[in-house]
Short mmCIF file of all heavy atoms in Angstrom, two decimals:
data_model
loop_
_atom_site.label_atom_id
_atom_site.label_comp_id
_atom_site.label_asym_id
_atom_site.label_seq_id
_atom_site.Cartn_x
_atom_site.Cartn_y
_atom_site.Cartn_z
N MET A 321 72.12 117.55 120.57
CA MET A 321 71.12 117.40 119.49
C MET A 321 70.10 118.51 119.69
O MET A 321 69.58 118.64 120.79
CB MET A 321 70.50 115.94 119.43
CG MET A 321 71.37 115.01 118.67
SD MET A 321 70.42 113.44 118.38
CE MET A 321 70.93 112.69 119.75
N ASN A 322 69.68 118.95 118.51
CA ASN A 322 68.52 119.98 118.40
C ASN A 322 67.68 119.58 117.27
O ASN A 322 68.02 119.24 116.32
CB ASN A 322 69.00 121.51 118.40
CG ASN A 322 69.75 122.00 119.59
OD1 ASN A 322 69.46 121.49 120.66
ND2 ASN A 322 70.63 122.91 119.34
N ILE A 323 66.34 119.75 117.48
CA ILE A 323 65.33 119.60 116.43
C ILE A 323 64.82 120.93 116.08
O ILE A 323 64.22 121.46 117.01
CB ILE A 323 64.29 118.46 116.69
CG1 ILE A 323 65.08 117.09 116.86
CG2 ILE A 323 63.26 118.50 115.63
CD1 ILE A 323 64.20 116.00 117.19
N LEU A 324 64.83 121.39 114.94
CA LEU A 324 64.42 122.62 114.56
C LEU A 324 63.66 122.55 113.14
O LEU A 324 63.90 121.59 112.34
CB LEU A 324 65.43 123.71 114.45
CG LEU A 324 66.35 123.85 115.57
CD1 LEU A 324 67.60 124.76 115.15
CD2 LEU A 324 65.64 124.63 116.74
N ASN A 325 62.77 123.51 112.92
CA ASN A 325 62.28 123.58 111.60
C ASN A 325 63.31 124.01 110.61
O ASN A 325 64.27 124.81 110.82
CB ASN A 325 61.15 124.77 111.55
CG ASN A 325 59.86 124.29 111.98
OD1 ASN A 325 59.41 124.77 113.08
ND2 ASN A 325 59.27 123.24 111.25
N SER A 326 63.44 123.44 109.37
CA SER A 326 64.31 123.75 108.29
C SER A 326 63.94 125.15 107.89
O SER A 326 62.76 125.66 108.02
CB SER A 326 64.30 122.77 107.18
OG SER A 326 64.66 121.45 107.70
N ASN A 327 64.99 125.88 107.20
CA ASN A 327 64.58 127.09 106.63
C ASN A 327 65.04 127.10 105.22
O ASN A 327 65.72 126.03 104.70
CB ASN A 327 65.12 128.26 107.38
CG ASN A 327 66.63 128.22 107.63
OD1 ASN A 327 67.39 128.01 106.68
ND2 ASN A 327 66.98 128.06 108.86
N ARG A 328 64.87 128.06 104.35
CA ARG A 328 65.13 128.13 103.04
C ARG A 328 66.65 127.98 102.74
O ARG A 328 67.08 127.54 101.72
CB ARG A 328 64.55 129.41 102.36
CG ARG A 328 63.05 129.28 102.15
CD ARG A 328 62.59 129.96 100.89
NE ARG A 328 61.18 129.57 100.65
CZ ARG A 328 60.60 129.52 99.46
NH1 ARG A 328 61.39 129.80 98.41
NH2 ARG A 328 59.40 129.25 99.34
N SER A 329 67.46 128.46 103.68
CA SER A 329 68.87 128.37 103.41
C SER A 329 69.34 126.93 103.61
O SER A 329 70.44 126.56 103.28
CB SER A 329 69.57 129.22 104.43
OG SER A 329 69.44 128.80 105.74
N ASP A 330 68.57 126.01 104.09
CA ASP A 330 68.75 124.48 104.19
C ASP A 330 68.43 123.85 102.99
O ASP A 330 68.82 122.52 102.85
CB ASP A 330 68.09 123.95 105.38
CG ASP A 330 68.33 124.61 106.70
OD1 ASP A 330 69.48 124.91 106.94
OD2 ASP A 330 67.48 124.65 107.48
N ARG A 331 67.89 124.30 102.02
CA ARG A 331 67.41 123.60 100.77
C ARG A 331 68.46 122.83 100.10
O ARG A 331 68.21 121.61 99.80
CB ARG A 331 66.78 124.47 99.77
CG ARG A 331 65.46 125.04 100.12
CD ARG A 331 64.91 126.02 99.09
NE ARG A 331 65.85 127.12 99.05
CZ ARG A 331 65.57 128.26 98.41
NH1 ARG A 331 64.61 128.42 97.72
NH2 ARG A 331 66.57 129.22 98.43
N ASP A 332 69.55 123.44 99.97
CA ASP A 332 70.67 122.61 99.09
C ASP A 332 71.07 121.41 99.94
O ASP A 332 71.37 120.34 99.38
CB ASP A 332 71.82 123.55 98.75
CG ASP A 332 71.52 124.54 97.65
OD1 ASP A 332 70.48 124.35 96.96
OD2 ASP A 332 72.22 125.49 97.58
N GLU A 333 71.18 121.58 101.25
CA GLU A 333 71.75 120.43 102.06
C GLU A 333 70.57 119.34 102.23
O GLU A 333 70.92 118.17 102.12
CB GLU A 333 72.04 120.89 103.48
CG GLU A 333 72.58 119.92 104.36
CD GLU A 333 73.85 119.18 103.95
OE1 GLU A 333 74.46 119.79 103.03
OE2 GLU A 333 74.26 118.22 104.52
N ILE A 334 69.27 119.71 102.14
CA ILE A 334 68.30 118.76 102.22
C ILE A 334 68.38 117.97 100.89
O ILE A 334 68.26 116.71 100.93
CB ILE A 334 66.85 119.63 102.33
CG1 ILE A 334 66.69 120.05 103.73
CG2 ILE A 334 65.70 118.54 101.97
CD1 ILE A 334 65.56 121.07 103.75
N PHE A 335 68.51 118.62 99.72
CA PHE A 335 68.64 117.75 98.54
C PHE A 335 69.90 117.04 98.52
O PHE A 335 69.83 115.89 97.83
CB PHE A 335 68.37 118.82 97.39
CG PHE A 335 66.92 118.97 97.10
CD1 PHE A 335 66.38 120.17 97.70
CD2 PHE A 335 66.22 118.17 96.32
CE1 PHE A 335 65.11 120.34 97.45
CE2 PHE A 335 64.79 118.38 96.22
CZ PHE A 335 64.23 119.60 96.73
N ARG A 336 70.99 117.50 99.03
CA ARG A 336 72.18 116.61 99.11
C ARG A 336 71.95 115.31 99.87
O ARG A 336 72.28 114.25 99.52
CB ARG A 336 73.30 117.39 99.74
CG ARG A 336 74.08 118.18 98.75
CD ARG A 336 75.44 118.58 99.29
NE ARG A 336 75.30 119.74 100.21
CZ ARG A 336 75.23 120.94 100.02
NH1 ARG A 336 75.06 121.41 98.77
NH2 ARG A 336 74.98 121.97 100.98
N LEU A 337 71.19 115.43 101.00
CA LEU A 337 70.84 114.35 101.84
C LEU A 337 69.94 113.46 101.06
O LEU A 337 69.95 112.24 101.27
CB LEU A 337 70.18 114.76 103.22
CG LEU A 337 71.15 115.59 104.11
CD1 LEU A 337 70.55 115.84 105.49
CD2 LEU A 337 72.41 114.86 104.35
N TYR A 338 68.97 113.96 100.39
CA TYR A 338 68.08 113.20 99.63
C TYR A 338 68.79 112.20 98.59
O TYR A 338 68.59 111.08 98.33
CB TYR A 338 66.90 113.93 98.86
CG TYR A 338 65.90 114.43 99.84
CD1 TYR A 338 65.06 115.41 99.25
CD2 TYR A 338 65.66 114.01 100.99
CE1 TYR A 338 64.02 116.10 100.11
CE2 TYR A 338 64.70 114.50 101.89
CZ TYR A 338 63.91 115.42 101.44
OH TYR A 338 62.87 115.96 102.26
N GLN A 339 69.78 112.93 97.86
CA GLN A 339 70.65 112.25 96.88
C GLN A 339 71.53 111.23 97.58
O GLN A 339 71.62 110.12 97.04
CB GLN A 339 71.52 113.31 96.05
CG GLN A 339 72.33 112.66 95.03
CD GLN A 339 71.55 111.96 93.94
OE1 GLN A 339 70.51 112.50 93.51
NE2 GLN A 339 71.84 110.67 93.72
N ALA A 340 72.05 111.51 98.57
CA ALA A 340 72.88 110.46 99.44
C ALA A 340 72.10 109.32 99.78
O ALA A 340 72.46 108.11 99.69
CB ALA A 340 73.49 111.19 100.57
N ALA A 341 70.70 109.71 100.23
CA ALA A 341 69.81 108.60 100.58
C ALA A 341 69.50 107.67 99.33
O ALA A 341 69.58 106.46 99.53
CB ALA A 341 68.57 109.06 101.27
N ALA A 342 69.41 108.25 98.24
CA ALA A 342 68.99 107.48 97.02
C ALA A 342 70.27 106.71 96.60
O ALA A 342 70.16 105.54 96.24
CB ALA A 342 68.56 108.44 95.96
N SER A 343 71.37 107.21 96.78
CA SER A 343 72.62 106.51 96.36
C SER A 343 72.74 105.31 97.30
O SER A 343 73.11 104.22 96.84
CB SER A 343 73.88 107.38 96.46
OG SER A 343 73.79 108.38 95.51
N TYR A 344 72.49 105.57 98.59
CA TYR A 344 72.57 104.50 99.60
C TYR A 344 71.53 103.39 99.22
O TYR A 344 71.84 102.13 99.41
CB TYR A 344 72.34 104.99 100.89
CG TYR A 344 72.55 104.03 102.16
CD1 TYR A 344 73.78 103.55 102.39
CD2 TYR A 344 71.43 103.60 102.75
CE1 TYR A 344 73.95 102.54 103.43
CE2 TYR A 344 71.49 102.69 103.79
CZ TYR A 344 72.75 102.12 104.10
OH TYR A 344 72.83 101.27 105.22
N GLN A 345 70.39 103.71 98.95
CA GLN A 345 69.28 102.79 98.57
C GLN A 345 69.74 101.92 97.35
O GLN A 345 69.54 100.71 97.39
CB GLN A 345 67.95 103.55 98.17
CG GLN A 345 67.32 104.14 99.38
CD GLN A 345 66.29 105.13 98.99
OE1 GLN A 345 66.14 105.56 97.85
NE2 GLN A 345 65.50 105.62 99.97
N LYS A 346 70.46 102.49 96.44
CA LYS A 346 71.05 101.65 95.30
C LYS A 346 72.01 100.72 95.74
O LYS A 346 72.02 99.59 95.18
CB LYS A 346 71.64 102.65 94.16
CG LYS A 346 70.67 103.52 93.42
CD LYS A 346 71.23 104.53 92.56
CE LYS A 346 70.17 105.35 91.99
NZ LYS A 346 70.87 106.49 91.22
N THR A 347 72.95 101.06 96.55
CA THR A 347 73.85 100.11 97.16
C THR A 347 73.21 98.91 97.88
O THR A 347 73.85 97.89 97.85
CB THR A 347 74.92 100.77 98.00
OG1 THR A 347 74.39 101.19 99.18
CG2 THR A 347 75.61 101.93 97.31
N LYS A 348 72.11 99.11 98.52
CA LYS A 348 71.43 98.09 99.29
C LYS A 348 70.49 97.43 98.46
O LYS A 348 69.74 96.40 98.79
CB LYS A 348 70.69 98.84 100.46
CG LYS A 348 71.58 99.42 101.44
CD LYS A 348 72.52 98.32 102.14
CE LYS A 348 73.42 98.83 103.23
NZ LYS A 348 74.25 97.88 103.65
N LYS A 349 70.40 97.71 97.10
CA LYS A 349 69.51 97.11 96.09
C LYS A 349 68.11 96.97 96.66
O LYS A 349 67.47 95.86 96.70
CB LYS A 349 70.11 95.69 95.82
CG LYS A 349 71.39 95.72 95.17
CD LYS A 349 71.91 94.48 94.50
CE LYS A 349 73.30 94.40 93.97
NZ LYS A 349 73.98 95.61 93.66
N THR A 350 67.55 98.05 97.19
CA THR A 350 66.25 98.17 97.78
C THR A 350 65.28 98.02 96.65
O THR A 350 65.60 98.30 95.47
CB THR A 350 66.03 99.34 98.64
OG1 THR A 350 66.19 100.53 97.80
CG2 THR A 350 66.92 99.47 99.82
N VAL A 351 64.10 97.69 96.99
CA VAL A 351 62.93 97.69 95.94
C VAL A 351 62.76 98.96 95.35
O VAL A 351 62.52 99.06 93.99
CB VAL A 351 61.67 97.08 96.59
CG1 VAL A 351 60.59 97.04 95.61
CG2 VAL A 351 61.97 95.70 97.22
N VAL A 352 62.71 100.01 96.15
CA VAL A 352 62.43 101.40 95.65
C VAL A 352 63.54 102.32 95.99
O VAL A 352 64.06 102.35 97.11
CB VAL A 352 61.14 101.94 96.29
CG1 VAL A 352 60.85 103.29 95.98
CG2 VAL A 352 59.92 101.00 95.99
N VAL A 353 64.05 103.00 94.94
CA VAL A 353 64.97 104.17 95.12
C VAL A 353 64.33 105.40 94.99
O VAL A 353 63.47 105.61 93.99
CB VAL A 353 66.07 103.94 94.12
CG1 VAL A 353 67.03 105.13 94.20
CG2 VAL A 353 66.78 102.65 94.23
N TRP A 354 64.63 106.37 95.91
CA TRP A 354 63.96 107.72 95.77
C TRP A 354 64.27 108.36 94.52
O TRP A 354 65.36 108.27 94.04
CB TRP A 354 64.52 108.50 96.93
CG TRP A 354 63.84 108.28 98.27
CD1 TRP A 354 62.88 107.46 98.61
CD2 TRP A 354 64.09 109.05 99.49
NE1 TRP A 354 62.57 107.47 99.87
CE2 TRP A 354 63.42 108.46 100.37
CE3 TRP A 354 65.08 109.92 99.86
CZ2 TRP A 354 63.49 108.79 101.82
CZ3 TRP A 354 65.24 110.26 101.03
CH2 TRP A 354 64.32 109.79 102.08
N PRO A 355 63.24 109.00 93.92
CA PRO A 355 63.55 109.79 92.68
C PRO A 355 64.11 111.21 93.19
O PRO A 355 64.22 111.58 94.35
CB PRO A 355 62.13 110.06 92.08
CG PRO A 355 61.25 110.03 93.28
CD PRO A 355 61.92 109.01 94.31
N GLU A 356 64.42 112.11 92.12
CA GLU A 356 64.65 113.37 92.46
C GLU A 356 63.43 114.15 92.86
O GLU A 356 62.42 114.19 92.14
CB GLU A 356 65.39 114.09 91.37
CG GLU A 356 65.95 115.49 91.73
CD GLU A 356 66.82 116.06 90.67
OE1 GLU A 356 67.60 115.33 90.01
OE2 GLU A 356 66.78 117.20 90.44
N PHE A 357 63.39 114.73 94.01
CA PHE A 357 62.06 115.32 94.49
C PHE A 357 62.03 116.75 93.91
O PHE A 357 63.08 117.46 93.75
CB PHE A 357 61.88 115.36 96.01
CG PHE A 357 61.96 113.89 96.61
CD1 PHE A 357 62.95 113.39 97.23
CD2 PHE A 357 60.69 113.27 96.45
CE1 PHE A 357 62.73 112.14 97.76
CE2 PHE A 357 60.50 111.94 97.02
CZ PHE A 357 61.63 111.45 97.61
N ASP A 358 60.78 117.30 93.84
CA ASP A 358 60.52 118.69 93.33
C ASP A 358 60.88 119.50 94.45
O ASP A 358 60.37 119.53 95.47
CB ASP A 358 58.94 118.59 92.96
CG ASP A 358 58.65 119.93 92.19
OD1 ASP A 358 59.35 120.91 92.53
OD2 ASP A 358 57.54 119.96 91.58
N ARG A 359 61.60 120.62 93.99
CA ARG A 359 62.19 121.65 94.88
C ARG A 359 60.99 122.35 95.47
O ARG A 359 61.00 122.77 96.66
CB ARG A 359 63.09 122.51 94.25
CG ARG A 359 64.47 121.89 94.06
CD ARG A 359 65.50 122.78 93.50
NE ARG A 359 66.13 123.63 94.51
CZ ARG A 359 67.22 123.27 95.24
NH1 ARG A 359 67.66 122.10 95.21
NH2 ARG A 359 67.71 124.16 96.10
N SER A 360 59.89 122.62 94.65
CA SER A 360 58.78 123.32 95.23
C SER A 360 58.02 122.59 96.34
O SER A 360 57.47 123.20 97.26
CB SER A 360 57.70 123.74 94.10
OG SER A 360 57.17 122.55 93.57
N LEU A 361 58.12 121.37 96.37
CA LEU A 361 57.45 120.50 97.39
C LEU A 361 58.21 120.71 98.71
O LEU A 361 57.51 121.05 99.70
CB LEU A 361 57.56 118.89 97.04
CG LEU A 361 57.37 118.04 98.11
CD1 LEU A 361 55.81 117.93 98.39
CD2 LEU A 361 57.78 116.63 97.81
N VAL A 362 59.55 120.79 98.69
CA VAL A 362 60.33 121.06 99.94
C VAL A 362 60.17 122.52 100.28
O VAL A 362 59.97 122.71 101.56
CB VAL A 362 61.74 120.61 99.66
CG1 VAL A 362 62.68 121.11 100.87
CG2 VAL A 362 61.90 119.15 99.47
N GLU A 363 60.11 123.43 99.35
CA GLU A 363 59.95 124.79 99.67
C GLU A 363 58.62 125.10 100.39
O GLU A 363 58.53 125.76 101.37
CB GLU A 363 60.13 125.64 98.45
CG GLU A 363 61.61 125.69 98.07
CD GLU A 363 61.74 126.42 96.59
OE1 GLU A 363 60.73 126.66 96.00
OE2 GLU A 363 62.95 126.65 96.26
N THR A 364 57.53 124.38 99.91
CA THR A 364 56.25 124.53 100.63
C THR A 364 56.26 123.91 101.89
O THR A 364 55.83 124.61 102.89
CB THR A 364 55.13 123.79 99.65
OG1 THR A 364 55.10 124.39 98.42
CG2 THR A 364 53.83 123.85 100.40
N GLU A 365 57.07 122.79 102.18
CA GLU A 365 57.06 122.23 103.44
C GLU A 365 57.77 123.19 104.45
O GLU A 365 57.49 123.38 105.53
CB GLU A 365 57.77 120.85 103.36
CG GLU A 365 56.91 119.77 102.74
CD GLU A 365 57.77 118.65 102.43
OE1 GLU A 365 59.03 118.61 102.39
OE2 GLU A 365 57.12 117.55 102.00
N ILE A 366 58.84 123.83 103.93
CA ILE A 366 59.57 124.80 104.71
C ILE A 366 58.72 125.94 105.12
O ILE A 366 58.68 126.38 106.26
CB ILE A 366 60.94 125.24 103.95
CG1 ILE A 366 61.97 124.09 103.91
CG2 ILE A 366 61.55 126.44 104.65
CD1 ILE A 366 63.14 124.35 102.97
#
């Protein structure tokens, strides 16, 4: 296992993981399901 900073080439995978997390939250009937996050937010973090 390695922990590294994400880079811009990781953006699509990051958003796939966010979507997978939101789908999982729906199956668990959690109180809150993640919305689609703004790409510029993630790009700034990167």
Side-chain angles (χ1 to χ4, degrees):
M321 271 189 269
N322 292 331
I323 294 175
L324 304 168
N325 282 111
S326 297
N327 55 58
R328 287 215 172 207
S329 66
D330 297 324
R331 286 177 297 191
D332 289 342
E333 183 64 12
I334 291 166
F335 280 93
R336 273 192 289 278
L337 295 183
Y338 289 165
Q339 182 59 47
S343 295
Y344 183 73
Q345 291 164 346
K346 288 176 188 172
T347 69
K348 294 298 182 183
K349 302 192 183 343
T350 61
V351 176
V352 176
V353 174
W354 282 356
E356 187 171 325
F357 294 107
D358 186 337
R359 290 185 79 82
S360 67
L361 169 73
V362 173
E363 289 171 354
T364 298
E365 291 166 347
I366 289 170

